[in-house]
Every structure is written in C-alpha cells, then in structure tokens.
Amino acid sequence: MKCTNCGKEMPAGISFCTSCGTKLVEAKKFCPNCGVENPDDSSFCYKCGTPLSGTAFASQQTNGGYRQVVEPQHTKQQKDYQVVKNKISGEHDSKNLKEIIAILQTLGNYSDAPALLESCKAELLELEYQDACQKFEKASENKSLYKELEKDFAGFGNYKESEQKYSVCKEYCDKQRRKAQKTGIIIFSSLIAATAIVVLLIKVIIPAVTYNAAMKALAAGEYEAAVAKFETLVDYKDSSEKIKEACFGYGKELVAAEDFDTAITMFENADGFDSSIAYKEYATGRKNLNDKKYSDAITCFTKAKDIEDGSIRLQEANYLLGDERFKNKSYSDAIKYYTAAGNYKDAADKVNASNLMTAEDKLKNGFLNEAKAILLKLPTDYSYNGISVKGRLEMLESHKALVNACGKWTASYNYIETRNVYKRDGSWDSWYYDTVLPGQSITIKCRMNNDATFTIEGTVTFERFTDYSSLSSLCNPTTTTKQFAFEKVNGISTSYSLDNNTTLKYSNGTFSISFSEKDNYSSYFYNLYKSSVTFGTRSETY
C-alpha cells in the first residue's frame, strides 16, 4: 500500500505512514458507469469493462491541518444510486415508491437501476390497484367514488381485474351522464319556453291588457289613470296619440281644480291635440292672475279668449291691472285698462274716477285748460272721493282769466333799444329793434292750491341790450330769461314787479314785459337799455 501523501510503499497492516505520518486509507475505485467497486489497481471495471484510469479522488484537509485523508470521489449517479438503495431497504408506500421511481428514471442504465425501476413500478401499480379495490368495495354505498375509480381503473389497463372493475364504474358513470344530459335538455327547453312566455307577456299580453284598460279609463273620463297607463305603452298601437288626448282631458280637470302648474305640463304633453296650445295659455293666464302678474295674464288671455271663460278672465285681468295703476296714481294707464275691462264689474265707473283724478292732477299742476277739457267729457253729476265734476267746472268758470292765461305765448311786438346819453345836455344816440325777434316767449301755469287759491308761475324770455357801440354791427341784443311765481291769488293783477329793472304787465288777456336798466359807465356818458315785448300769440294751451 502506497502513502497517498509521500508515495512511499508501506507494508500491509500499518495505519499511518512511517515516513510522513499521513493516515493510510485503502484506495477504492468505483465504476463511473455501473457503480461497482473495483480493486485500486484495476484499469477496467470487472463487470461492464468501463475504463477506470480516469477515476477521480478527492482529498480533505483535517481540522488540525497536519494530516490528509484521501477518499474516493463518487459521481452523482453513485450518490443517487446509494439513496435509492437506502430507500428500497426501508418500508414502502405510494409516496416513497414515486420518489424512488423518479430518481431511478434519472439513473438510466446505471448498475441495476433498470431492474430496480421495473420492480418499483410493479410494486407501485400493485399498491395503487389495491387502494382502488378497497374504494371499489365502498362505492356501492358511496356512489360518488365511481367517477374517480373510472379514471383509476382505466389507467391500470388489463392489470388483474382492472378491466372488469372499469366496466362497472363506466356503466354507472355513463348512466349518470345520460341522466344529467337529459336533465340539462329539459332545463334548457324549460328556459326557452319560459323566455318565450315572458316575451309574449311583455310584448303582447301585458301591453294589450294595459292598452285596453287605458282606453276604458279614457272613455270613462278617468284621464289621470289613462295618462299613467298610456305612459307605460310607449309606441304600442296609437298610444302616443291617445296619451295626448288623455293629457288634454286631465289638464282640463286640473284647471277646474286650480292646479295650474300641473295643468300647464299636461297641455304641453298634449301639444298638437285639439286646442291644447290655447288651453296652455288659458292655464298660464289663470296662474298669472293668482300670482298677481296681471300684465302677463292679459297677454295669455288675449291668446285664449275663446277658451272657457277666457274673455271674462281677460276683462278681469285688465280690471285688476287698472286697480293697480289707479292705486299708484298712474291714471292714464288705469283709464286704458279699465276701458279694456269693458262691462266687468264697475269698470265704467272707474274710468270716470280715473278721468276725474287725471283732471285733478292737471288742476294742481297748472294745466287748467286740459283739466277743463276732461271735466267737460264727464257726467256733470259725477263725483268721486268728495270731488264733483260740477264743482270743479264752476270753479274754473269763476276764474276764466286764469284759465285763459295758461299756456305758452310768443312775442307779437317788441321794441328793444340801447341809448348812449351825454350827461351835460341830455343829447343821445341809439340803436333799436322794432321788428319781432324770434325766441321770445312767456309760459304761464296757474296751479290750484288746496285752499281753492291759485299760484301763478312761469318763465319769460326776451331780448335786451347790455352795451352800446357807435357801430351797429357791434350792437347785438342778449337773450334774458326770468322765472316768477305769485302765490295764493284768485285772479291776475295788471302789474307784477319781477326785479328792479323788470315789470310783468297784464291787460285785456295779454301779458307784456317792460325792462329798463341804466349803465353809468363814465362821468360824461351813460347807457340806457330798454326792452318792451308784448306776448299776444298763444302757441300752446295748458
């Protein structure tokens, strides 16, 4: 035996090398093909003839690090083969056998692996067969096992009684499958029949029943119920037209019940049927009346005056709007609406009241002629709120001068002069206009006071000079405007002083203005400006 470390030949029976102290281990060679152990000096496997010269050895270093133990290095097949041999030597069950078979299948022709593989397969087949047979005995009580056993015995082929047992299991399973298939066909047929019935109900029977019920309700005047039923039918027969008829009838019922909002919706849904558009206007007008939107109501009833009592409602809306305007002292508007109300209630009397109050406003604002014209159109014996037509006419008759004075008067004559006077001897030079200049006028308003007196007020506009020049082209008159008011009078005086230079005169129903102003512009001369204008032409009457 040679030392694997130093190579020195050692006699048999020695455990350690006498030269280097290495532990001596008998070298062994294993065939890499079949795994058989061969003598260390063998060059070929004595069993299969595989060359052994390439056999590898592995060395290990001891923990001490001073001896080396040389042992043979086995291949993976050798190790797996040893694992198989160990497992085979123990107790077997299906799980162990399957693990052994899996390893043997990787070993190929190694050693006696093929024989072991066939032996293990046979043993596994027998174990699984016996297990299946035990289940087969129980299947008569637990028939659900037949389905599993059918697969198991089919897999066993012609092993022992596998074919007979497979036939029993298959017969039972086929019977169950045929039964399930038949049940499935019955269920499927039932579903088809049920679906057909549902479709028939939904598409034909239910709509027909609903339509007949809706038509019956419509004929009986039960419009709300008819609307509800027709709404579910959509395009069934002539439902789209019938629902309009039902909505129209229901809308009229709602108007009678004064549910105008819902009625308007119903008439909208009935659009195009009969007079649904006009009825919608009527319902809207009624709603506006309730909401005191009289102007909107008038608009609606004008379009629906031929519906129901639309013409009367139109008069009512005008009357109520007239009341509203009268209350706000918009008498001219009130007259318009009361007049439109015709013979509704006391509309005619309220037209007279509005006219009388209009005349009263005219009197208080100085338009005496306009007030008189209105009063003359009213019944002489008419009175309202303590004011009588007769009394007001008599009052105006007793103040004719004031009545005649009211208006706008334009100039019918004027003399407008600028004079330059020498103070020592009174000699003078002047320029003047005696042709009527445009734009000169006087407006007069005689306002009636609450105490039956009057206030005369107005505005006078006339021309006057404010300078002098020896050149006429440089002498141009200036427009002057003055306002005046004479309170609590019962007539017109002949003269009124407007200021230190201006006097308003009245004579024979005509007003005139007299203006005079002195300008001491130097110690030797002074200028004198004079204007005399008569307003004899009435252009407007108040």
Side-chain angles (χ1 to χ4, degrees):
M1 179 183 299
K2 287 183 179 181
C3 176
T4 59
N5 183 40
C6 64
K8 188 175 182 178
E9 186 73 31
M10 291 288 110
I14 295 176
S15 299
F16 295 92
C17 179
T18 59
S19 177
C20 64
T22 301
K23 184 178 180 180
L24 300 176
V25 179
E26 185 179 1
K28 295 181 180 180
K29 286 186 177 180
F30 292 89
C31 177
N33 181 46
C34 65
V36 172
E37 182 180 334
N38 290 273
D40 62 339
D41 57 352
S42 299
S43 297
F44 296 91
C45 176
Y46 74 85
K47 184 177 181 179
C48 65
T50 300
L52 301 177
S53 59
T55 303
F57 294 89
S59 62
Q60 281 189 328
Q61 187 72 32
T62 63
N63 289 337
Y66 54 88
R67 285 196 179 95
Q68 195 174 43
V69 179
V70 179
E71 296 178 348
Q73 180 182 10
H74 300 289
T75 64
K76 184 176 184 302
Q77 287 180 318
Q78 291 172 334
K79 291 180 180 179
D80 289 344
Y81 182 79
Q82 289 300 321
V83 171
V84 167
K85 296 289 283 184
N86 291 335
K87 286 182 176 289
I88 290 174
S89 64
E91 294 183 1
H92 299 166
D93 57 19
S94 296
K95 182 179 179 182
N96 288 337
L97 285 171
K98 287 178 181 178
E99 292 176 355
I100 292 170
I101 290 170
I103 297 172
L104 287 171
Q105 286 174 336
T106 66
L107 293 176
N109 294 324
Y110 185 83
S111 188
D112 59 346
L116 291 174
L117 178 62
E118 291 303 319
S119 174
C120 289
K121 284 183 177 180
E123 186 179 352
L124 178 61
L125 178 61
E126 178 61 23
L127 281 175
E128 290 180 341
Y129 176 77
Q130 292 300 328
D131 183 58
C133 287
Q134 290 177 8
K135 291 181 180 178
F136 186 80
E137 295 298 325
K138 298 177 181 179
S140 59
E141 297 178 359
N142 184 6
K143 298 187 182 299
S144 62
L145 293 172
Y146 280 122
K147 186 175 182 180
E148 178 185 347
L149 290 171
E150 182 185 17
K151 294 180 180 179
D152 291 342
F153 286 121
F156 296 151
N158 59 359
Y159 185 73
K160 293 187 178 181
E161 298 179 356
S162 295
E163 291 182 343
Q164 295 89 330
K165 289 181 169 54
Y166 168 74
S167 296
V168 173
C169 295
K170 185 176 184 301
E171 182 180 359
Y172 175 80
C173 291
D174 285 346
K175 184 178 179 181
Q176 293 301 111
R177 281 190 283 269
R178 286 193 298 273
K179 184 177 179 181
Q181 185 178 16
K182 184 177 180 181
T183 302
I185 292 171
I186 293 171
I187 293 173
F188 182 70
S189 300
S190 299
L191 287 173
I192 293 175
T195 302
I197 292 171
V198 170
V199 171
L200 183 64
L201 283 170
I202 294 174
K203 296 291 186 180
V204 181
I205 298 175
I206 293 176
V209 171
T210 304
Y211 180 82
N212 290 334
M215 289 297 289
K216 184 177 179 181
L218 182 62
E222 298 171 358
Y223 300 113
E224 183 178 7
V227 168
K229 288 179 172 59
F230 279 125
E231 282 179 341
T232 65
L233 295 173
V234 191
D235 297 326
Y236 185 79
K237 291 187 176 181
D238 58 348
S239 296
S240 58
E241 290 302 316
K242 290 298 181 182
I243 194 173
K244 290 184 178 183
E245 182 180 350
C247 286
F248 181 74
Y250 186 34
K252 293 170 73 174
E253 283 185 352
L254 291 167
V255 167
E258 298 191 359
D259 182 359
F260 302 119
D261 286 321
T262 310
I264 291 168
T265 301
M266 288 299 107
F267 289 131
E268 287 175 345
N269 293 340
D271 184 35
F273 180 82
D274 203 309
S275 52
S276 56
I277 296 175
Y279 263 97
K280 177 190 171 184
E281 294 293 340
Y282 177 81
T284 305
R286 291 288 302 275
K287 182 179 184 300
N288 287 332
L289 269 183
N290 285 354
D291 295 340
K292 297 183 179 180
K293 297 178 180 179
Y294 304 124
S295 182
D296 291 340
I298 290 171
T299 301
C300 291
F301 287 127
T302 300
K303 299 176 183 178
K305 59 185 177 182
D306 296 327
I307 301 299
E308 303 284 343
D309 57 350
S311 59
I312 296 175
R313 295 293 181 180
L314 177 59
Q315 289 180 311
E316 179 184 2
N318 276 292
Y319 181 86
L320 292 173
L321 187 54
D323 281 348
E324 190 178 87
R325 294 293 189 268
F326 188 90
K327 183 179 180 180
N328 294 331
K329 297 184 178 181
S330 299
Y331 300 120
S332 59
D333 283 345
I335 291 169
K336 180 177 71 174
Y337 293 118
Y338 284 137
T339 301
N343 59 357
Y344 185 82
K345 292 186 176 180
D346 58 346
D349 184 70
K350 290 195 172 183
V351 170
N352 288 336
S354 299
N355 275 310
L356 180 55
M357 297 310 296
T358 300
E360 194 72 4
D361 277 351
K362 297 286 186 182
L363 291 173
K364 291 180 178 180
N365 286 294
F367 297 89
L368 302 187
N369 286 288
E370 293 181 9
K372 182 177 180 180
I374 294 170
L375 291 168
L376 288 173
K377 294 178 181 178
L378 293 173
T380 306
D381 59 350
Y382 183 76
S383 63
Y384 175 78
N385 201 27
I387 303 169
S388 70
V389 173
K390 182 179 179 180
R392 287 295 185 247
L393 287 172
E394 289 176 349
M395 181 268 298
L396 291 173
E397 185 64 24
S398 64
H399 295 82
K400 279 185 178 181
L402 294 173
V403 174
N404 292 332
C406 290
K408 181 177 182 180
W409 303 77
T410 57
S412 57
Y413 164 81
N414 65 227
Y415 181 83
I416 303 167
E417 180 187 22
T418 176
R419 181 181 297 184
N420 181 248
V421 180
Y422 183 52
K423 291 183 178 179
R424 283 189 177 183
D425 59 10
S427 60
W428 51 270
D429 289 319
S430 70
W431 299 104
Y432 66 90
Y433 285 94
D434 57 1
T435 56
V436 177
L437 298 177
Q440 300 180 102
S441 65
I442 186 170
T443 60
I444 302 292
K445 293 180 180 178
C446 301
R447 299 180 183 274
M448 183 185 71
N449 301 320
N450 292 333
D451 61 357
T453 62
F454 289 84
T455 295
I456 302 174
E457 61 183 28
T459 301
V460 62
T461 300
F462 61 94
E463 298 291 331
R464 70 182 180 91
F465 284 104
T466 57
D467 201 356
Y468 176 83
S469 173
S470 59
L471 297 175
S472 63
S473 60
L474 298 179
C475 285
N476 295 305
T478 299
T479 300
T480 298
T481 298
K482 295 181 182 291
Q483 294 181 335
F484 55 87
F486 313 120
E487 299 180 348
K488 294 186 178 294
V489 300
N490 283 304
I492 304 176
S493 298
T494 57
S495 178
Y496 297 96
S497 176
L498 303 186
D499 55 40
N500 293 332
N501 303 312
T502 311
T503 301
L504 179 64
K505 298 178 180 180
Y506 178 74
S507 177
N508 296 322
T510 303
F511 285 96
S512 62
I513 196 80
S514 177
F515 174 83
S516 178
E517 182 179 16
K518 187 177 182 180
D519 178 13
N520 287 305
Y521 68 92
S522 76
S523 8
Y524 299 102
F525 295 92
Y526 68 88
N527 290 335
L528 184 64
Y529 312 123
K530 289 186 176 182
S531 293
S532 179
V533 182
T534 300
F535 304 99
T537 304
R538 189 201 300 265
S539 59
E540 296 179 29
T541 301
Y542 298 154

